[in-house]
Amino acid sequence: MKNVILFAAIAITSIGCAQSKENKEVPKAVKEAFQKGYPNTKVDWDIEKDGFEAEFKMNGKDASANYNKAGHKLATEIEIKETEMPAKALTYVSTTYPNKKIKETAKITDDKNVVTYEAEVKIDGKICDLIFDASGKFLKLHKD
């Protein structure tokens, strides 16, 4: 009998958790904003602390767009080749982290049309994003 009660309690808890995940769907306003900006584009959604991230392909490259809960696009990030990074940024990485290889690079455009660049590097066993302004000046280090 104890096993039946324990099983029932686990089943009820699992159903409750599944329902709470379903309630965290992407709001209609966010989906509509994405559709308007990127019509007929296949998208995978991630729920983030401050909003939602749409992951998709743009011109054959990995891309993402971040939206707040009201559907306002905050930023777009698109994968670029390392050679498309500002030269000053590449020099910074090679001199500051001489034994580190850049794993991924991206161009980020925020909602005010400000462009920044991101270089992903593994530092002390952790994936880190080095952020640069449009001219290649180092701005900050973001650890995942």
Side-chain angles (χ1 to χ4, degrees):
M1 185 67 173
K2 287 181 184 178
N3 288 339
V4 172
I5 294 171
L6 178 62
F7 179 76
I10 291 170
I12 291 169
T13 302
S14 297
I15 291 168
C17 289
Q19 286 178 344
S20 66
K21 286 182 182 178
E22 289 174 15
N23 290 337
K24 292 186 176 181
E25 285 188 22
V26 178
K28 184 178 178 181
V30 174
K31 288 181 181 179
E32 287 176 351
F34 178 81
Q35 295 277 328
K36 185 177 178 182
Y38 308 95
N40 304 314
T41 301
K42 183 181 174 193
V43 62
D44 289 317
W45 289 100
D46 283 330
I47 299 171
E48 298 189 334
K49 179 176 73 172
D50 297 328
F52 305 89
E53 180 178 46
E55 295 177 350
F56 57 100
K57 293 279 187 187
M58 187 163 53
N59 301 323
K61 296 179 179 184
D62 289 335
S64 65
N66 292 80
Y67 295 85
N68 67 15
K69 294 172 185 172
H72 175 75
K73 184 166 65 171
L74 303 170
T76 303
E77 181 175 322
I78 186 160
E79 169 189 43
I80 60 171
K81 295 177 184 175
E82 188 173 318
T83 56
E84 295 177 81
M85 292 281 291
K88 189 175 174 182
L90 295 174
T91 300
Y92 176 89
V93 175
S94 66
T95 56
T96 308
Y97 304 100
N99 299 319
K100 304 297 180 191
K101 183 179 178 193
I102 296 174
K103 306 239 182 247
E104 293 179 13
T105 51
K107 179 180 179 181
I108 303 165
T109 306
D110 72 11
D111 58 347
K112 294 171 185 66
N113 233 16
V114 174
V115 173
T116 54
Y117 291 89
E118 176 183 273
E120 184 179 287
V121 179
K122 193 171 188 178
I123 303 170
D124 298 328
K126 295 187 180 199
I127 301 296
C128 299
D129 294 326
L130 304 172
I131 309 297
F132 302 90
D133 70 10
S135 72
K137 178 183 173 194
F138 176 73
L139 298 175
K140 65 182 175 178
L141 172 91
H142 181 264
K143 294 182 181 181
D144 286 343

